[in-house]
Amino acid sequence: MTTRIPTLLLTGAAGLLGRQLTPALARCCERLVRSDLAAALQAQGDATAVPCDLADRAAVRALLQGVDAVVHLGGVSYEKPFEVVLDANIRGLFHLYEAARLAGTKRIVFASSNHVTGCYAVTDHNAPEDPPRPDGYYGLSKLYGEGMARLYFDRYGIEAVCLRIGTATPEPIDHRSLASWLSPGDLERLVLASLTTPGVGFLVAYGCSRNTRRWWRSDEAWARLGYAPQDDAEAYAGKVGHITFPPGSPMARLQGGTFLDIGPFDD
Ligand code: NAI
Ligand code: 15L
């Protein structure tokens, strides 16, 4: 993979991170194709992107035509009932990977999530190779996405970097994110490294800054990517450190935070 990608597809382009990453992604390719749900694009007044529902197999096949690499951000980004997660994150991943195989796409950078391991304790220091412990249907769907990426690398050679992103916000928002924060600058560095590092094969990495309080031991994966985070949430400890969850609650005990307070979804 050269450092300047001929055609790069960004899904979830109308979302928070999609909008944030667009300028940097545009610089690292010859042609950036941005896509999202029609309604999301309309809400942004965005007429230049390609509307596509990931649940629509034919539309996803058309979208991937001529695409060399993908930054896949599209999908449900929060804990929801299984049926809500199903179309975008389960069916959608299948459609994306099948379309990528048919189109000869070389690499997919997948926005996985820390919620793949959200049931680890806040006192744990887990690494990508430790057993998954999803904290809900959303986290489980991201684990499925990582499995899909592994399968399509092993069988069809599509390179994959699965980024278990922490809390990607302009600044840390609470006590929890003093551990999980991924700063905007580090997000950009991590995604660009995931796209352009040669011979990456298949890799799962956590996505956080060099936070003093970080839970995740991702140094090996970061070294393979040449990702050196530059920001530390500790600088915000005085500002947000007092924003905590009820002591002893699952939110306070487990890494997934507020997601542990959502569900079960009884009819
Ligand atoms: P977001 O919710 O702002 O953006 C997701 C985009 O996906 C939305 O624009 C939405 O319209 C689109 N989408 C939803 N269903 C779709 C479908 N069926 N077909 C096509 N597009 C669909 O989320 P955000 O914050 O920008 O996150 C981007 C990705 O990164 C998501 O996959 C999320 O799960 C992941 N992530 C984000 C984190 C964060 O801190 N923002 C942390 C961990 C993971
Ligand atoms: C995620 O996976 C979500 O997409 C994002 O909205 C945040 O909640 C983040 O995790 C987090 O854990 O802070």
Side-chain angles (χ1 to χ4, degrees):
M1 165 111 20
T2 59
T3 47
R4 200 159 164 84
I5 299 156
T7 299
L8 173 63
L9 168 66
L10 170 65
T11 67
L16 193 75
L17 303 191
R19 281 177 280 132
Q20 196 177 310
L21 285 167
T22 290
L25 294 180
R27 286 192 294 274
C28 80
C29 65
E30 304 290 339
R31 187 170 78 101
L32 178 64
V33 179
R34 297 162 51 256
S35 180
D36 206 306
L37 289 171
L41 295 171
Q42 266 163 23
Q44 296 289 328
D46 185 343
T48 61
V50 183
C52 176
D53 187 337
L54 292 160
D56 181 340
R57 186 175 183 161
V60 177
R61 284 208 183 169
L63 183 67
L64 267 285
Q65 291 288 320
V67 167
D68 299 285
V70 182
V71 174
H72 183 51
L73 305 181
V76 172
S77 62
Y78 201 66
E79 178 60 357
K80 297 279 182 191
F82 178 73
E83 286 75 13
V84 178
V85 171
L86 180 63
D87 267 353
N89 295 20
I90 304 287
R91 285 206 178 88
L93 246 291
F94 166 64
H95 294 160
L96 182 86
Y97 265 90
E98 266 300 273
R101 179 182 66 79
L102 292 168
T105 302
K106 294 174 190 64
R107 185 177 297 195
I108 297 179
V109 177
F110 170 52
S112 184
S113 170
N114 71 90
H115 294 282
V116 168
T117 52
C119 279
Y120 276 90
V122 294
T123 48
D124 287 330
H125 291 283
N126 39 301
E129 55 274 18
D130 290 331
R133 295 180 69 175
D135 58 23
Y137 301 120
Y138 165 73
L140 192 57
S141 77
K142 295 294 187 179
L143 179 59
Y144 164 85
E146 293 183 6
M148 184 68 79
R150 179 83 240 187
L151 171 64
Y152 276 71
F153 174 64
D154 286 340
R155 292 286 305 271
Y156 311 117
I158 300 177
E159 290 196 296
V161 182
C162 302
L163 298 174
R164 290 181 181 170
I165 300 171
T167 304
T169 42
E171 292 185 359
I173 51 174
D174 54 14
H175 182 271
R176 170 179 179 267
S177 57
L178 295 177
S180 62
W181 188 50
L182 176 62
S183 75
D186 284 337
L187 170 71
E188 190 176 309
R189 282 182 273 281
L190 183 57
V191 170
L192 290 181
S194 302
L195 265 179
T196 59
T197 301
V200 76
F202 171 85
L203 189 64
V204 177
Y206 281 95
C208 68
S209 288
R210 53 189 287 277
N211 308 325
T212 304
R213 305 186 195 198
R214 68 181 183 271
W215 299 310
W216 306 312
R217 290 183 288 111
S218 206
D219 302 67
E220 208 175 301
W222 289 356
R224 275 183 64 188
L225 292 172
Y227 166 67
Q230 293 180 15
D231 299 313
D232 187 341
E234 207 55 29
Y236 299 86
K239 190 171 173 187
V240 299
H242 65 285
I243 305 171
T244 55
F245 300 124
S249 68
M251 292 187 286
R253 285 190 291 107
L254 303 178
Q255 292 180 5
T258 52
F259 282 39
L260 274 310
D261 202 36
I262 308 171
F265 300 99
D266 297 326
D267 291 332

